[in-house]
Amino acid sequence: MTRPTLLITGASSGIGAATARRAAPDWDLALHYNANLTGAEETAKAARAAGARVTLISTDLSDPANVAALFAAFDRDHAALDGLVNNAGVVDIAARVTDFTPERVARMVAINLTAPMLVAGQAARRMTRGSAIVNVSSAAARFGSPGQYVDYAATKGGLEVFSKGLAQELAADGIRVNAVRPGIIETPIHAKGGQPDRVNRLAPMVPMGRAGTADEVARAILWLLSDQASYVTDTVMDVSGGR
Ligand code: NAP
């Protein structure tokens, strides 16, 4: 039987990399990354060892025009697409809204909202009945992230509304669309936002008393992609330890 193909954006690190490793026994993988070739290659090596056929695609999604290049590369190696994890995303250094610059907001919106919308559209064109999309949102969409990155929270809120609309558009085509909303998860994203201690600082505020792991988010994503979730579309699943 042919193995299904899964495209994961931002698969060089954190949640995307964990999702690739979890998916590898069951899916062939197109792993997208931006700059972290080492991380992408490590993920690919682990996935190949687990049985997946893997291709790597590097594109900078801060320019949404590059989505075309991503799919041109995808089409060179893959005849079909069965799953998409729209995961690539960024935060920025903590700042109040009064200090936001146009450059900061434009970059955040491009990577976290414009690109995922275009990626999902291109993915849906290549999908057939039974395929599924998971958009990676954030608990920030519920909290608004005041004093940290309200712009980030706003992009994730937008992604959830997009996810809802797309789920409704594609439901009759048999393509399911859902989102996950991770809470505080141990990945490199916090250090990239200038807060390497963020996980330790916030973990005690989580009802479960700890941060989550990237693998715990990956398991939720893979469930939503799987036939186990065959009647689940237009949902947002919190993976946040009760927070
Ligand atoms: P991460 O470890 O920093 O990984 C981010 C991924 O996005 C990397 O693969 C990175 O690629 C890619 N990326 C960054 N800038 C990009 C660009 N300009 N173009 C294309 N790809 C780019 O972060 P993570 O924590 O796993 O985050 C994954 C998703 O989960 C994000 O959407 C994030 O908002 C969401 N999330 C995370 C948490 C958390 O606590 N960790 C909580 C809620 C939601 P390179 O490394 O190759 O540059």
Side-chain angles (χ1 to χ4, degrees):
M1 210 178 93
T2 327
R3 287 162 58 92
T5 297
L6 176 64
L7 168 63
I8 304 173
T9 63
S12 53
S13 177
I15 292 167
T19 304
R21 285 168 189 254
R22 274 271 163 199
D26 301 313
W27 298 79
D28 284 339
L29 297 169
L31 302 181
H32 159 270
Y33 67 103
N34 177 32
N36 184 0
L37 174 62
T38 306
E41 284 180 337
E42 272 173 26
T43 309
K45 188 175 172 194
R48 286 186 184 115
R53 185 170 80 88
V54 181
T55 56
L56 290 178
I57 304 171
S58 166
T59 36
D60 182 355
L61 296 177
S62 65
D63 180 355
N66 289 336
V67 170
L70 193 170
F71 279 91
F74 177 88
D75 290 339
R76 278 195 287 277
D77 288 316
H78 300 274
L81 180 60
D82 307 284
L84 165 68
V85 184
N86 230 344
N87 164 78
V90 291
V91 294
D92 209 322
I93 56 166
R96 290 174 63 83
V97 174
T98 45
D99 296 322
F100 283 1
T101 62
E103 293 74 22
R104 170 188 168 118
V105 175
R107 171 178 169 269
M108 190 84 80
V109 171
I111 298 170
N112 289 4
L113 184 55
T114 310
M117 289 198 283
L118 295 171
V119 167
Q122 287 297 320
R125 286 186 187 196
R126 290 160 174 81
M127 288 177 159
T128 52
R129 190 162 284 278
S131 302
I133 295 172
V134 176
N135 294 308
V136 180
S137 178
S138 168
R142 283 193 278 110
F143 296 126
S145 302
Q148 299 267 306
Y149 22 68
V150 170
D151 46 356
Y152 171 79
T155 62
K156 293 301 187 177
L159 186 64
E160 289 187 13
V161 176
F162 171 70
S163 199
K164 165 172 272 301
L166 186 66
Q168 295 295 327
E169 275 196 15
L170 297 181
D173 299 324
I175 300 171
R176 297 180 301 102
V177 182
N178 294 288
V180 292
R181 204 188 268 144
I184 307 292
I185 310 298
E186 291 175 32
T187 76
I189 201 171
H190 309 288
K192 292 175 191 171
Q195 300 185 63
D197 63 333
R198 188 165 183 269
V199 166
N200 289 339
R201 206 163 21 87
L202 296 184
M205 294 175 210
V206 177
M208 284 184 72
R210 65 173 178 87
T213 66
D215 186 57
E216 287 176 307
V217 181
R219 281 184 265 153
I221 290 170
L222 285 168
W223 182 78
L224 286 168
L225 287 174
S226 77
D227 285 344
Q228 299 295 313
S230 56
Y231 199 53
V232 181
T233 196
D234 188 8
T235 63
V236 183
M237 183 190 285
D238 285 289
V239 187
S240 56
R243 181 165 170 265

